[in-house]
Amino acid sequence: MRIRNMQGERMVSICDRECLGKIYREGKFILRVTPEFYGNTLASLEEAVHELKRATIANLVGETIVNECIKLGLVHEKGVIRIDGIPHAQIIKMKR
């Protein structure tokens, strides 16, 4: 997990442990799951969800984190894309 605060936004990037450091390719899509973007902080699922609920922007990669976000209503299943079989979703919370 990696958390960044910038220009009034809180961006949380989370990937499943087994996805970190991998590159997924499918057609014109390339998904690089780098430690520079997704971080090196190992978090429990509960910690990750806590931070996602505070995020205004989120990037998610992997079966575990994406499925948990679907279950909690943070991500709609139709908003998930798969690249080389790996689920990827983004969350953007609009300010009112």
Side-chain angles (χ1 to χ4, degrees):
M1 175 170 65
R2 182 171 179 201
I3 300 168
R4 295 183 216 51
N5 293 297
M6 55 191 163
Q7 298 177 354
E9 303 296 337
R10 182 175 179 84
M11 185 166 82
V12 178
S13 302
I14 300 175
C15 68
D16 290 357
R17 177 191 285 185
E18 62 272 11
C19 296
L20 191 62
K22 301 223 174 126
I23 300 173
Y24 300 98
R25 301 173 199 272
E26 187 167 327
K28 64 181 178 176
F29 296 106
I30 299 173
L31 177 59
R32 291 179 176 89
V33 189
T34 65
E36 294 79 20
F37 188 81
Y38 288 92
N40 282 316
T41 301
L42 183 61
S44 69
L45 192 55
E46 293 78 22
E47 291 169 318
V49 168
H50 174 76
E51 293 301 336
L52 284 170
K53 288 180 177 178
R54 299 176 58 213
T56 56
I57 301 168
N59 291 281
L60 312 166
V61 176
E63 294 287 346
T64 302
I65 192 62
V66 171
N67 287 336
E68 184 69 13
C69 287
I70 291 170
K71 184 174 94 176
L72 295 171
L74 298 173
V75 170
H76 192 281
E77 62 188 32
K78 290 185 180 178
V80 177
I81 64 170
R82 287 188 174 266
I83 300 173
D84 198 16
I86 301 299
H88 172 59
Q90 295 180 331
I91 300 170
I92 300 173
K93 294 180 184 172
M94 305 301 286
K95 295 179 184 177
R96 296 180 184 200

